[in-house]
Amino acid sequence: MGMPEWIVTGVSRRKINIEDPLGVRSQAKLQSNLDEVVCGDRVEVELVGEENVVTSLIPRTNLFLRKFRERTKYLAANLDCLFVVNAVEPLFNTVFIDRTLASCVSAGIPSVLIVNKRDLGLDHTRSSIDVYERLGIKVIYTCAKEQDGIDSLISILEEKALGVSALCGISGVGKSSIINRLVPSATQTVAEVSSRTGQGKQTTTMAIAHTRVGKNNQRQMIIDLPGLQNFGISHLSITELPNLFVEFAERSRDCKFLDCSHTEEPQCAIRAALKDGQIANSRYESYIGMREELIANRPY
Ligand code: GDP
Ligand code: ZN
């Protein structure tokens, strides 16, 4: 019989927070020969003396990360779904959404868009949201302040039996409020962390996993990712980039050149579709911004 699998629920500089298959949490240290572990990682743990030691890492099904210049930041592993949290205008951020969605496509992680603060009105955000609905991306509308729409989020978690999911978003969109609705004990967990570190709120770059017990005692891990302001995408390759935009991928075979960059080549199907309004300006702008970041950071 193999070792029982534990799951990583948080990583600080010295300690790994882990949860056993029954949901009991404890702390461990990382065996020195192991590379970095991250929230959502499945690991094996052995008791060495009086101390729990993470002795091996079970191969990941996926890894969500960001990279700016040479700095890579692992965010979470083994995700069944990433919820990209936004709020209505002026907080609806297409640059952030497109970078996150492209990273999910690249890592093979399904994603869902959450539009929070619907109580403030959807009118000014409608056309931007439509872009994503037309791409076939699932959109959920919530008002975390009133618990409105949280049910649809819970049905996705439960119907799809999502074992490990994560929420990401720029700060201020209501990510913490949504997590507190999903996992009422989350506030307590955050409070525990702050009493140790002396911080008022989780302002660090640390991800924290909360456990939600759903219907039929189904256990779900929900990872609260730090409120990233910029989402560096230097980990993506410039050749794969167009294919990470679904509406580009399906049209690019009609470009004259097989390796068309969709910037200045003649007979480019992507720029033709942009001109016709079949591809949204905001999506094309995101593509160009990401492409420029990759060119600027290309190793020579
Ligand atoms: P986070 O930075 O993304 O974790 O956002 P918070 O959960 O801390 O919320 C930021 C602010 O938005 C707080 O003042 C919340 O009270 C407010 N807020 C959160 N959800 C909603 C909502 O659905 N509607 C409205 N009007 N305000 C909200
Ligand atoms: Zn092209």
Side-chain angles (χ1 to χ4, degrees), residues 7-285:
I7 187 154
V8 174
T9 61
V11 179
S12 61
R13 203 167 295 162
R14 295 211 193 102
K15 288 282 181 189
I16 314 288
N17 295 318
I18 49 173
E19 185 175 295
D20 78 4
L22 297 173
V24 178
R25 293 193 170 207
S26 45
Q27 289 197 318
K29 71 173 204 188
L30 192 64
Q31 190 170 288
S32 56
N33 63 335
L34 289 186
D35 282 337
E36 192 178 343
V37 297
V38 66
C39 260
D41 263 332
R42 294 170 206 287
V43 294
E44 289 178 346
V45 175
E46 286 174 42
L47 195 62
V48 179
E50 293 192 336
E51 202 165 37
N52 285 319
V53 178
V54 172
T55 53
S56 76
L57 173 66
I58 316 282
R60 296 170 174 133
T61 58
N62 60 52
L63 178 61
F64 185 55
L65 59 92
R66 70 189 161 110
K67 184 174 176 191
F68 183 66
R69 303 217 168 101
E70 287 312 302
R71 287 190 44 209
T72 304
K73 175 87 187 148
Y74 288 2
L75 297 168
N78 302 320
L79 294 182
D80 294 322
C81 183
L82 180 80
F83 293 96
V84 185
V85 187
N86 278 270
V88 297
E89 288 293 2
L91 284 175
F92 195 83
N93 186 327
T94 57
V95 170
F96 180 82
I97 296 174
D98 294 336
R99 286 172 170 251
T100 315
L101 292 182
S103 295
C104 281
V105 175
S106 172
I109 301 168
S111 51
V112 168
L113 213 58
I114 296 179
V115 181
N116 189 39
K117 307 198 187 186
R118 64 179 289 178
D119 53 302
L120 300 180
L122 287 167
D123 289 358
H124 298 292
T125 322
R126 189 71 262 167
S127 59
S128 312
I129 300 171
D130 283 347
V131 168
Y132 298 98
E133 291 198 317
R134 277 201 298 272
L135 294 177
I137 291 162
K138 171 93 183 153
V139 181
I140 306 176
Y141 301 89
T142 57
C143 166
K145 221 170 156 182
E146 310 286 351
Q147 177 88 32
D148 188 17
I150 301 294
D151 288 355
S152 3
L153 187 50
I154 291 179
S155 17
I156 292 192
L157 289 170
E158 297 194 341
E159 275 158 29
K160 298 199 171 166
L162 300 179
V164 182
S165 52
L167 276 77
C168 77
I170 58 172
S171 63
V173 294
K175 179 169 58 70
S176 316
S177 309
I178 293 173
I179 288 180
N180 287 337
R181 292 286 182 187
L182 292 176
V183 193
S185 60
T187 330
Q188 270 172 292
T189 318
V190 174
E192 276 168 33
V193 172
S194 20
S195 65
R196 267 194 299 110
T197 59
Q199 277 171 346
K201 212 189 163 197
Q202 181 206 341
T203 50
T204 57
T205 54
M206 212 178 91
I208 296 180
H210 304 286
T211 304
R212 177 176 181 274
V213 181
K215 63 168 191 232
N216 305 326
N217 274 331
Q218 203 186 78
R219 299 166 53 75
Q220 294 161 338
M221 191 148 281
I222 296 170
I223 301 174
D224 183 4
L225 293 174
L228 321 160
Q229 214 50 252
N230 300 307
F231 195 93
I233 46 84
S234 307
H235 55 288
L236 303 177
S237 88
I238 200 158
T239 47
E240 75 171 327
L241 186 63
N243 293 324
L244 304 180
F245 284 68
V246 292
E247 74 276 46
F248 288 30
E250 64 199 21
R251 288 185 175 92
S252 61
R253 71 177 84 93
D254 296 329
C255 292
K256 179 175 181 179
F257 298 103
L258 204 60
D259 62 348
C260 186
S261 72
H262 319 306
T263 54
E264 54 195 18
E265 296 88 343
Q267 294 173 48
C268 168
I270 302 304
R271 281 189 302 132
L274 177 70
K275 216 171 155 199
D276 289 353
Q278 291 170 34
I279 286 181
N281 285 322
S282 62
R283 294 277 290 170
Y284 188 74
E285 281 164 20

Side-chain angles (χ1 to χ4, degrees), residues 278-295:
Q278 291 170 34
I279 286 181
N281 285 322
S282 62
R283 294 277 290 170
Y284 188 74
E285 281 164 20
S286 290
Y287 168 73
I288 294 297
M290 291 163 80
R291 192 180 139 77
E292 281 169 0
E293 181 177 325
L294 292 177
I295 291 170

